[in-house]
Amino acid sequence: MSNAPLYDTIGATYSVTRRTEPRIAARIWAALGEARTVLNVGAGTGSYEPPGRSVTAVEPSALMRAQRPAGAAPPVAAVAESLPFEDRSFDAAMAVSTIHHWPDPVAGLREMRRVARRVVVFSHDTSQSGWLHRFWLTRDYLPEVAGLVAGRPLLTELAGAIGARLEPVLVPWDCADGFFEAYWRRPEAYLDERVRRGISVWARVGPEVEQRAVRRLRDDLATGRWAERNRELLALEAAELGLRLLVG
Ligand SMILES: C[S@@+](CC[C@H](N)C(=O)[O-])C[C@H]1O[C@@H](n2cnc3c(N)ncnc32)[C@H](O)[C@@H]1O
């Protein structure tokens, strides 16, 4: 089973706010090393696919496949847990902002390991206690995110399963890719429906929780309470919010 139905429902406006963030792309592409053939798993609309290399894309959602730009690698309809490729078919396999959607991420990573010599994954790490308090959005407005990760394997466990290492990735204050943590210094962005529709967390917590969180954030921005609580962030250029590259 995959989460393709979720993205077939929520993916229609993905490319409005989700695109390649060049500073994170540079990290991912450096981690790919000299790889000439690259498999992109959970490829979506093609963000982060490296130029100048031969890319093969795997994407289970038809709606996401349909939004790939002209000229992007034609996508294969498949899931990470069962990759339709021979052993060692690729120099490297990458997966960006997707493993939290995989029903069985250990199986998916083992498949990437089977078909490629190098594995590069971009995801978030919840293995440190207190991770919920690392980001004001989960700490003060959306503690329900804890329920979304409950029972899922930790990123440290996933890295261990394929003998990979983890490297921190800071989120720049003006991050171009509108993922969940991207607007940590631009809180008004979360009031924008188009921004939220590009972030699966908001769909997964459900409309009541979403509306409550947005209402509280709007109030706190209006009264100055958000600024009072998060004053120190305004001086930062980049933030450590638990995003990691898994490289193995
Ligand atoms: C947040 S999007 C990320 C897309 C792209 N990698 C990017 O960085 O913009 C997550 C993608 O994972 C895909 N996905 C969900 N379950 C999957 C699975 N089991 N195997 C592979 N991809 C999956 C979804 O269809 C969706 O396109």
Side-chain angles (χ1 to χ4, degrees):
M1 290 293 291
S2 84
N3 267 355
L6 176 67
Y7 268 88
D8 279 338
T9 310
I10 69 169
T13 57
Y14 191 80
S15 50
V16 172
T17 55
R18 300 298 298 268
R19 56 186 75 94
T20 303
E21 158 49 52
R23 289 154 288 191
I24 296 177
R27 295 282 305 276
I28 293 171
W29 298 346
L32 292 173
E34 300 297 308
R36 291 157 54 91
T37 55
V38 176
L39 176 68
N40 187 17
V41 182
T45 56
S47 297
Y48 301 99
E49 286 175 4
R53 316 198 200 203
S54 166
V55 175
T56 300
V58 158
E59 171 52 54
S61 158
L63 187 57
M64 295 297 274
R65 290 197 301 273
Q67 292 177 73
R68 291 177 62 79
V76 176
V79 292
E81 292 88 343
S82 180
L83 293 172
F85 307 106
E86 302 289 323
D87 295 1
R88 304 213 149 212
S89 301
F90 303 95
D91 295 331
M94 57 183 270
V96 177
S97 303
T98 175
I99 63 168
H100 56 293
H101 290 294
W102 301 356
D104 188 344
V106 172
L109 289 177
R110 288 197 172 132
E111 276 290 87
M112 291 175 74
R113 164 94 304 152
R114 179 183 68 75
V115 303
R117 290 174 187 80
R118 181 175 291 213
V119 173
V120 177
V121 171
F122 178 62
S123 192
H124 60 268
D125 179 16
T126 57
S127 56
Q128 287 166 335
S129 66
W131 66 268
L132 199 68
H133 289 198
R134 192 165 48 194
F135 182 25
W136 55 263
L137 184 54
T138 48
R139 182 191 66 203
D140 299 332
Y141 303 96
L142 267 184
E144 288 82 359
V145 169
L148 303 182
V149 305
R152 302 274 305 170
L154 299 172
L155 197 62
T156 44
E157 294 167 347
L158 295 176
I162 60 159
R165 65 175 189 277
L166 294 177
E167 300 174 1
V169 178
L170 302 188
V171 183
W173 77 271
D174 53 352
C175 184
D177 186 358
F179 51 73
F180 184 64
E181 296 87 351
Y183 306 94
W184 59 270
R185 218 184 93 178
R186 296 169 288 170
E188 291 82 5
Y190 296 105
L191 304 180
D192 184 340
E193 172 87 25
R194 288 169 314 161
V195 163
R196 295 199 305 279
R197 295 290 68 87
I199 300 171
S200 63
V201 165
W202 292 102
R204 295 174 70 205
V205 295
E208 278 175 31
V209 170
E210 175 181 11
Q211 280 156 28
R212 186 216 62 215
V214 170
R215 198 170 50 242
R216 285 194 189 154
L217 176 58
R218 184 179 291 114
D219 290 349
D220 285 354
L221 287 168
T223 60
R225 192 171 153 85
W226 184 91
E228 236 169 72
R229 277 187 186 151
N230 299 291
R231 199 180 305 281
E232 74 289 353
L233 296 184
L234 300 177
L236 296 182
E237 295 294 308
E240 152 55 8
L241 295 171
L243 292 170
R244 300 284 180 269
L245 267 195
L246 179 157
V247 184

